[in-house]
Amino acid sequence: MERVIIHVDMDYFYAAIEEREDPSLKGKAVVVCMYSNRGGSGGAVSTSNYVAREAGIRSAMPCKLARSKKPDAVFLPVRKEFYEEVSAKIMEILRSNADSEEAFEKISIDEAFLEISQSCSGDYDLARDIGHKIKEEVRSQEEITCSVGIGPNKLIAKMASSFRKPDGITVVRPEDVQTFLGPMTVKKLWGIGKVTEERLTEMGIRTVSELASYDVMELISVFGKNKGMWLSQAAMGIDGTAVKERTATDQIGRMASLEHDSRDENMIFTLMDELIDDVISKVKARKVSFRSVTVTVIFSNFKTSTKSRTLGHAVSDISILSENAKEMMKQFLEESTMNFRRIGVRVDNLQENTGQKSLFDF
Ligand code: DCP
Ligand code: MG
Ligand code: MG
């Protein structure tokens, strides 16, 4: 079956969250700034909404310069932890639309790839429907708009999502890849940096189609084997890399959906046992201990909630994980009335085992 990949990127993400939290900001220019810790007027723009962009304000620009371009804009400080929480909820919505748990790859705080080859059976009309469904879910659950790109691989999907922004959807079928990419300037090709762009310009290569028809051996002689090959393939719209979650190194966790949305304790605790077994076998394989346990519940309305506990000692013991995780899950059941959709168990604060067993291991 042909691969179909979706890339989703939130629109003016930090500023969109601030607008959502304070509706009086709507229609105004909003600039979210990362102020330097020296205080004063230093610092750079993290992002701005589209009203501010019309005034020429851009990410990474000094906040001072942004202020001079639009003195009546609202300047707000970055609230990274809060944006991370919103991001986690959005990522769960996105993940739930992928072919499987594993067919998902978050690539930054506001964007991810999902493979949907199976759910759309390779049909691009169905893929577009899934794209619209995702946009609607993100809008209704989190009041944020996003832009969606759909294509036969990650490279094309990523470039498609930025083609129409904000609130866009762009579908590039395999037969349209050349038409889509060809006229773009090489710097638009995902993965090409400033240095490469300049080198290509010196070689007289301006557009992606010029790069695609350039002799690959020449490219290799200039850029080396890997990069030269990659440039040539990317320009032809070829990208064989898989959608695959990057494993976090500082935590070990597993999530899974219940068979159907439910509050049935039997079903929930049975699934928890599976997740706990899995987490512990990874803990053992990596020869680490953990000092905190987190349980996540995603409710049937996609609202996400987590509880964490920090333990007195680092342990790698299944009974301690199980006891703590299940107590937290019981609290979730007591505090809520809604059905559960997905649950997760995670350990973090990892420490390498030194070889000496702690008391808890006996
Ligand atoms: N970000 C940042 N500093 C940068 C670029 C981005 O702090 N130089 C943060 C703020 C953005 C978030 O990352 O909101 C996501 O980055 P994007 O590049 O996706 O930009 P936006 O989502 O803000 O806007 P767009 O609508 O163009 O995607
Ligand atoms: Mg974005
Ligand atoms: Mg982004």
Side-chain angles (χ1 to χ4, degrees):
M1 193 194 301
E2 279 196 49
R3 287 206 302 158
V4 183
I5 313 294
I6 293 196
H7 178 260
V8 186
D9 186 291
M10 304 303 126
D11 301 321
Y12 58 102
F13 189 49
Y14 294 2
I17 295 173
E18 297 294 351
E19 277 185 13
R20 176 189 84 177
E21 295 301 304
D22 178 2
S24 77
L25 294 174
K26 291 248 161 66
K28 295 181 187 161
V30 177
V31 184
V32 179
C33 278
M34 178 72 113
Y35 292 108
S36 65
N37 48 18
R38 288 183 199 154
S41 56
V45 172
S46 268
T47 195
S48 59
N49 66 1
Y50 283 70
V51 183
R53 289 182 200 190
E54 273 167 32
I57 294 174
R58 295 284 175 272
S59 290
M61 172 182 280
C63 297
K64 222 174 166 175
L65 178 58
R67 240 178 243 281
S68 71
K69 285 181 181 284
K70 187 93 179 133
D72 64 341
V74 179
F75 287 81
L76 298 169
V78 167
R79 295 194 279 168
K80 188 72 189 285
E81 278 177 22
F82 178 50
Y83 309 147
E84 293 280 5
E85 281 175 29
V86 179
S87 170
K89 294 179 189 181
I90 291 170
M91 291 302 155
E92 285 314 318
I93 298 176
L94 302 184
R95 188 198 296 271
S96 70
N97 281 283
D99 277 347
S100 69
E101 301 282 323
E102 290 74 30
F104 173 84
E105 181 179 341
K106 172 183 167 183
I107 59 167
S108 82
I109 190 166
D110 84 329
E111 56 193 286
F113 290 109
L114 294 50
E115 175 147 9
I116 54 159
S117 315
Q118 285 164 29
S119 33
C120 74
S121 320
D123 178 329
Y124 276 77
D125 291 324
L126 289 177
R128 182 187 288 274
D129 292 344
I130 295 173
H132 280 294
K133 173 174 170 270
I134 291 171
K135 285 168 70 70
E136 175 52 24
E137 283 177 7
V138 173
R139 197 198 55 73
S140 63
Q141 320 285 337
E142 291 300 325
E143 298 171 59
I144 296 274
T145 65
C146 58
S147 298
V148 168
I150 301 176
N153 58 49
K154 282 160 62 171
L155 174 79
I156 301 299
K158 166 82 186 170
M159 293 176 68
S161 74
S162 54
F163 194 69
R164 268 184 215 102
K165 243 184 176 302
D167 205 12
I169 179 161
T170 303
V171 180
V172 182
R173 292 162 190 264
E175 61 268 30
D176 299 329
V177 166
Q178 294 308 326
T179 329
F180 175 70
L181 282 188
M184 292 187 185
T185 53
V186 289
K187 79 164 175 222
K188 290 260 174 81
L189 208 54
W190 183 43
I192 287 198
K194 221 178 166 64
V195 177
T196 307
E197 182 206 347
E198 279 164 14
R199 193 77 193 82
L200 290 169
T201 310
E202 283 166 19
M203 295 163 73
I205 305 171
R206 202 181 57 84
T207 65
V208 174
S209 67
E210 285 163 7
L211 180 59
S213 54
Y214 209 83
D215 180 37
V216 65
M217 293 317 284
E218 292 270 337
L219 290 172
I220 289 172
S221 74
V222 175
F223 294 97
K225 184 154 180 264
N226 287 343
K227 181 89 180 261
M229 298 264 284
W230 177 81
L231 282 169
S232 187
Q233 300 259 294
M236 289 184 235
I238 299 167
D239 173 16
T241 59
V243 174
K244 198 166 181 297
E245 193 144 22
R246 291 166 207 191
T247 44
T249 49
D250 52 343
Q251 60 185 49
I252 298 174
R254 268 275 280 142
M255 285 206 113
S257 302
L258 295 165
E259 260 166 52
H260 52 83
D261 293 6
S262 166
R263 302 178 45 77
D264 181 79
E265 292 194 17
N266 229 332
M267 188 192 281
I268 291 169
F269 286 110
T270 308
L271 182 56
M272 265 193 108
D273 280 330
E274 269 175 49
L275 301 180
I276 288 166
D277 275 347
D278 231 61
V279 168
I280 284 294
S281 58
K282 284 180 193 151
V283 165
K284 302 276 184 209
R286 279 182 48 189
K287 299 190 169 61
V288 289
S289 314
F290 52 88
R291 265 202 67 188
S292 61
V293 177
T294 301
V295 172
T296 304
V297 172
I298 295 155
F299 295 97
S300 54
N301 66 351
F302 287 96
K303 285 260 161 8
T304 301
S305 209
T306 62
K307 288 186 193 295
S308 287
R309 275 188 191 179
T310 303
L311 312 170
H313 311 258
V315 296
S316 53
D317 186 308
I318 188 164
S319 65
I320 294 176
L321 172 59
S322 180
E323 186 185 315
N324 281 282
K326 286 181 177 170
E327 278 175 17
M328 286 188 271
M329 187 59 82
K330 285 199 186 103
Q331 286 174 0
F332 272 124
L333 283 161
E334 283 161 15
E335 291 164 6
S336 64
T337 51
M338 194 171 291
N339 281 336
F340 294 10
R341 180 186 175 90
R342 283 164 62 75
I343 58 171
V345 175
R346 189 176 85 214
V347 296
D348 36 30
N349 266 329
L350 301 185
Q351 299 175 7
E352 303 227 350
N353 290 345
T354 52
Q356 197 180 2
K357 284 190 171 184
S358 84
L359 265 184
F360 283 93
D361 289 324
F362 289 100

